[in-house]
Amino acid sequence: MTRILSGLPAAARELLSGTNWKCLQHAYGSGEDIPASLCSLLDEDPEVRSEALAALDMGVLHQGSLYTVTAPAALFVAAILDHPMSLAEHEGHFPWDDGPPRGLRAALLVWLGQVAESAAYGEDPVRDRADWQWAPWHDETRRERDPDELAALHACRKIRPALYDAVEPFLSSPDPHVREAALRAAVPLLSAPGLADRVPRAATLLRARLGAVSGRRERASAARALGVWGMDTADLLADSDPAVRVCAALGPTHADRPRDLAVLLDALRDPRTTDGWFPEPLPGLDGWFRFTVLRSALALAETFEEVAPVAVAIVAAGGTSVVDFERGPILLRAFAGGYDPAHPISPAQRDLLRAFVDTDGSTGGVGGNVLWFRAAGLPDTREAIAALL
């Protein structure tokens, strides 16, 4: 421990000595044990490093929850990103993490990205609703945070400029794994309201990488990041790689809305191929890629009729495992203002409801989408929907 302490950057040493860790909390109690875990991240023993990373995952950011200890711990992690030991590799700590050894620096960057994602949650309701996992009842069930939770949230949002400044140099790392991890952290960090001034420089770095690499994954990730940050990606809509074109069309800003929508709908016509582009989800995007593409298309469409042919085909295809991520959002978009019995159902809405009725033998039909039908103001039984037709 003495050796580790003596080799720490000054900012990391000051955090350890200047923070009252006993007054802070993590998922399992007092934060007084966290300094030892933080220092163990730089231990020469790979098993010790792996256990220290597990402590970050399990205690400091337990299942995405922020604690009063999270912000100072994140600042410490940011301060050691360029430490020589960060080049070391380690095995995964958890039994289910049986992949190849990972570099410490990339793992720390991924963890900082997870902190940034948690800090951003709830900050922009419009952005949250565009997420592929959002459901209308999420907003209704969001509970009030207690004082410690609010303090942890505000502390983590306050340090985002410092975290980004530590992450940015690694957007140009020669190691592709480190570059990807840095981009995963940079995307939510630069989505913060107070960091807009850093976006142009980050965009320049990504544009430089786009011209230097040919790999689909990295180029698509860069295109998506540029779009998330509100940069113009119209030139990438003509890219030779369809995956890059789709990521450029995801938005949320759109210089050429019809063209963006056409790119997204084209990808949804062959969802199996679209999912196959990224066997491992892109940074910051869990789940099948088509879920994100669909949400973006539904949000971009000015009327349901624009997306109806593709949307109806998705519902008619049936299936049992993706109710909340495909058919439910389609239904809510078709009845965006809620079903009004005083107004006739449009032909596109009628085709969609017919597809639900015809596939009700599986949970992809009316019976498996009860909450979504209720959210759209519609009856929630097959018989009642059939009566509308």
Side-chain angles (χ1 to χ4, degrees):
M1 185 64 69
T2 300
R3 180 193 58 78
I4 292 175
L5 288 170
S6 64
L8 286 177
R13 287 199 305 272
E14 291 171 5
L15 274 166
L16 289 180
S17 62
T19 302
N20 189 347
W21 299 95
K22 292 183 180 180
C23 293
L24 304 177
Q25 295 288 316
H26 54 65
Y28 303 106
S30 170
E32 60 185 321
D33 60 335
I34 294 302
S37 294
L38 294 176
C39 289
S40 295
L41 290 168
L42 300 175
D43 197 280
E44 291 182 345
D45 187 335
E47 290 189 8
V48 173
R49 293 197 303 273
S50 180
E51 291 175 1
L53 275 170
L56 290 182
D57 288 334
M58 293 189 296
V60 181
L61 190 67
H62 180 66
Q63 296 182 349
S65 296
L66 302 173
Y67 303 90
T68 51
V69 79
T70 307
L75 287 172
F76 180 93
V77 168
I80 64 170
L81 285 174
D82 59 355
H83 191 281
M85 187 56 72
S86 69
L87 299 175
E89 292 187 339
H90 64 278
E91 303 284 346
H93 175 76
F94 301 108
W96 56 85
D97 188 6
D98 58 356
R102 297 174 296 172
L104 177 62
R105 179 175 289 164
L108 294 177
L109 285 164
V110 167
W111 186 80
L112 288 176
Q114 293 168 342
V115 171
E117 289 168 359
S118 293
Y121 182 73
E123 190 172 37
D124 183 346
V126 174
R127 183 176 65 205
D128 289 344
R129 286 194 292 271
D131 186 86
W132 66 271
Q133 299 181 85
W134 179 85
W137 46 90
H138 290 172
D139 292 340
E140 299 171 2
T141 59
R142 186 174 292 173
R143 63 181 177 83
E144 293 291 330
R145 292 185 171 98
D146 65 35
D148 281 347
E149 287 178 310
L150 284 174
L153 176 63
H154 293 320
C156 288
R157 288 179 177 176
K158 184 178 180 180
I159 65 171
R160 288 183 292 194
L163 296 185
Y164 177 73
D165 289 344
V167 166
E168 186 189 75
F170 300 103
L171 291 173
S172 303
S173 169
D175 184 335
H177 299 293
V178 170
R179 288 198 305 272
E180 177 170 309
L183 186 57
R184 174 170 183 169
V187 167
L189 286 171
L190 289 188
S191 298
L195 273 71
D197 62 318
R198 290 163 167 84
V199 169
R201 175 177 166 82
T204 299
L205 292 173
L206 292 196
R207 286 286 186 179
R209 293 303 311 170
L210 277 168
V213 299
S214 58
R216 161 177 284 173
R217 183 178 181 84
E218 186 165 1
R219 300 184 74 251
S221 295
R224 173 183 174 261
L226 291 169
V228 169
W229 296 335
M231 306 302 291
D232 186 357
T233 57
D235 61 311
L236 297 175
L237 295 176
D239 196 272
S240 60
D241 190 325
V244 176
R245 296 198 298 270
V246 169
C247 284
L250 290 176
T253 57
H254 301 277
D256 189 343
R257 191 196 70 85
R259 192 177 175 199
D260 286 345
L261 184 58
V263 168
L264 298 176
L265 292 178
D266 189 55
L268 292 170
R269 290 186 179 92
D270 187 5
R272 183 170 297 181
T273 296
T274 299
D275 283 338
W277 290 339
F278 308 111
E280 179 72 19
L282 291 179
L285 293 180
D286 296 322
W288 292 110
F289 185 54
R290 70 178 186 273
F291 298 159
T292 293
V293 178
L294 176 62
R295 290 291 181 115
S296 296
L298 296 176
L300 185 55
E302 293 181 347
T303 66
F304 178 65
E305 282 69 19
E306 285 188 301
V307 297
V310 170
V312 171
I314 290 173
V315 172
T320 61
S321 62
V322 290
V323 169
D324 285 339
F325 308 136
E326 287 187 307
R327 286 175 279 283
I330 287 172
L331 182 71
L332 199 66
R333 179 63 186 85
F335 294 88
Y339 168 63
D340 183 354
H343 292 86
I345 295 175
S346 72
Q349 291 172 328
R350 189 178 301 277
D351 289 344
L352 179 67
L353 294 180
R354 173 59 63 189
F356 274 106
V357 169
D358 290 346
T359 61
D360 205 43
S362 70
T363 58
V366 179
N369 291 269
V370 168
L371 292 177
W372 289 96
F373 273 86
R374 292 173 182 171
L378 286 158
D380 58 15
T381 67
R382 181 176 184 272
E383 294 73 20
I385 293 298
L388 297 178
L389 304 176

